[in-house]
Amino acid sequence: MGRDYFNRRNYGCRIKEFTINGYRHMSLENNLIKIGIALDKGADIYEFLYKPKDIEFMFSWGTHMDSDIVPGIASGKGNFMDYYEGGWQELFPGISCGEGVNGAEMGMHGEVALLPWNMDVLEDSEKKITVELSVATLRFPFILKKTLTLLENDSVLYVEEEIINSGVQTMQYQWGHHPAIGGNFLDETCEIIVKGTPAVKGVQADLGSVSCLEAGQEGIWPVVTDQSGNPCDLSKVEKEESKTYREFSLSNLEEAEFIVKNNRLQIGFGMRWEKSVFPHLWVWQMYGGGFDYPFYGNAYTLALEMWNSLPGGLSEAIRQKTAPSIGPSENKKTRFQVFVTLPDEA
């Protein structure tokens, strides 16, 4: 495995680039947190480690992230799940429910999560590191850029993003982030903290008895009525042995922020973003209840995904007039933070 050290420094803030099975990776690190990034596969963040307590926040799944293995038959939904390793993906310029947009087919969860990204170092000192990651989509006229920054003695990842329409026609898009939480952090003592009482709406699919929500069920966060007429607190994480699974959206957010707090470990993982850009939160609660492909009941994870539009795939969002548009040569920018909370902060 080859390594290329930008600045030969193993203290303070530092950047390292390396390869695994010929695929480019990088890490961003300070004295408190370490971020692992798969540059050649979506710039996925597959490691978010809080070093003082050796706590990993990211869900780990699958073995084909760094692989040239080709499935025996192409999936009609795309190959996102064949190469899904857990962690945190960026989903852009939309997700697919089996229909194309602008004459282009789109696989599950869009384009950028399976593409290699470019990387440039903007600042590299022991006090601060900043890198810029960028990618151009293949089937749509978009460029996506993001800068990631770590500061000394700070357990926050600072992110700034920009999307650019490089075409000559107005485009519509969906934009979301899919951070799947797991590792040695997630357990049944965790609770999801979202301020206020946002509106809950269950996924339109019927998930059966593994879900407490009926297809399309509506309610108010955090307690809803389950399919048996009993109260179900959606903010409480369940054991893997519960074999439950549910998906739903949260809209009309009071604040664009969530914290998942582990009451046993007394530590939390949170995100804070601009509500004007991402007004919705999609919640994926996979507590061992996802059967058949690809998890077969073995996945234990929780994802809280900030999204710019609902419902469903991009084609449906366009029909429902919830997908924003961006004109020729226009750009849209945003920024957000990913942070660790300790007992006196949560």
Side-chain angles (χ1 to χ4, degrees):
M1 179 175 65
R3 292 180 180 269
D4 179 15
Y5 292 83
F6 290 96
N7 198 325
R8 294 181 180 274
R9 182 177 61 248
N10 289 315
Y11 56 88
C13 298
R14 51 222 190 249
I15 305 168
K16 295 180 181 179
E17 186 182 28
F18 52 95
T19 61
I20 301 175
N21 297 331
Y23 288 80
R24 295 177 306 139
H25 292 248
M26 71 177 305
S27 63
L28 307 177
E29 187 174 0
N30 62 15
N31 57 316
L32 296 176
I33 58 175
K34 181 183 178 185
I35 312 295
I37 303 169
L39 292 173
D40 276 342
K41 194 251 172 198
D44 289 1
I45 293 178
Y46 57 86
E47 178 183 24
F48 198 113
L49 182 71
Y50 183 67
K51 295 165 61 176
K53 294 190 175 183
D54 198 28
I55 294 175
E56 174 58 61
F57 294 105
M58 293 289 96
F59 170 56
S60 180
W61 174 264
T63 59
H64 296 156
M65 176 175 63
D66 298 302
S67 171
D68 292 322
I69 293 174
V70 177
I73 186 171
S75 170
K77 296 181 180 179
N79 296 108
F80 178 90
M81 293 310 309
D82 289 332
Y83 298 99
Y84 179 60
E85 81 287 353
W88 167 9
Q89 289 75 37
E90 185 137 8
L91 307 183
F92 182 83
I95 61 175
S96 173
C97 288
E99 297 182 57
V101 175
N102 298 110
E105 293 180 288
M106 182 186 299
M108 180 183 182
H109 290 342
E111 286 202 76
V112 301
L114 289 175
L115 293 176
W117 288 51
N118 298 314
M119 187 275 292
D120 291 304
V121 177
L122 303 184
E123 184 167 348
D124 183 10
S125 73
E126 63 182 274
K127 301 291 186 182
K128 178 182 179 181
I129 50 175
T130 300
V131 297
E132 180 185 81
L133 309 179
S134 61
V135 65
T137 51
L138 293 175
R139 296 184 177 181
F140 298 87
F142 289 111
I143 296 171
L144 174 58
K145 297 180 180 180
K146 61 183 173 184
T147 63
L148 307 178
T149 297
L150 291 184
L151 306 176
E152 186 181 42
N153 298 317
D154 190 7
S155 57
V156 179
L157 173 65
Y158 299 90
V159 184
E160 297 184 16
E161 294 201 289
E162 177 183 16
I163 57 171
I164 303 166
N165 180 356
S166 57
V168 295
Q169 71 181 80
T170 297
M171 299 294 296
Q172 292 175 289
Y173 64 95
Q174 283 181 309
W175 191 6
H177 285 264
H178 188 286
I181 300 168
N184 62 343
F185 168 75
L186 191 70
D187 64 28
E188 67 275 13
T189 72
C190 290
E191 61 177 315
I192 304 166
I193 301 170
V194 176
K195 294 182 179 179
T197 54
V200 174
K201 186 170 184 179
V203 67
Q204 291 297 329
D206 182 3
L207 302 179
S209 61
V210 297
S211 176
C212 68
L213 297 172
E214 296 180 353
Q217 180 178 334
E218 297 183 3
I220 299 296
W221 174 268
V223 180
V224 298
T225 301
D226 69 15
Q227 297 192 51
S228 300
N230 300 312
C232 176
D233 190 342
L234 298 173
S235 70
K236 303 301 183 184
V237 174
E238 298 182 12
K239 297 180 179 181
E240 184 173 4
E241 292 76 15
S242 71
K243 296 300 178 184
T244 55
Y245 163 41
R246 48 192 178 241
E247 291 190 58
F248 55 90
S249 62
L250 295 179
S251 299
N252 303 321
L253 297 171
E254 181 178 308
E255 293 186 18
E257 177 182 291
F258 73 78
I259 296 172
V260 179
K261 179 183 177 182
N262 185 301
N263 290 295
R264 176 179 60 87
L265 298 171
Q266 287 297 295
I267 193 169
F269 174 86
M271 297 180 71
R272 182 183 303 116
W273 63 94
E274 293 180 300
K275 187 166 62 173
S276 60
V277 179
F278 300 106
H280 308 284
L281 192 62
W282 188 264
V283 184
W284 182 49
Q285 297 179 333
M286 180 70 73
Y287 305 141
F291 296 99
D292 294 333
Y293 176 83
F295 298 117
Y296 298 98
N298 291 317
Y300 185 62
T301 184
L302 164 68
L304 296 122
E305 312 168 26
M306 55 186 190
W307 276 99
N308 72 334
S309 76
L310 297 173
L314 178 56
S315 57
E316 180 62 21
I318 291 173
R319 277 194 291 270
Q320 296 288 336
K321 303 186 185 304
T322 65
S325 61
I326 180 171
S329 302
E330 285 188 354
N331 69 337
K332 294 185 182 293
K333 296 182 179 182
T334 191
R335 61 180 61 193
F336 60 92
Q337 299 175 5
V338 189
F339 53 89
V340 178
T341 63
L342 297 174
D344 58 346
E345 302 168 334

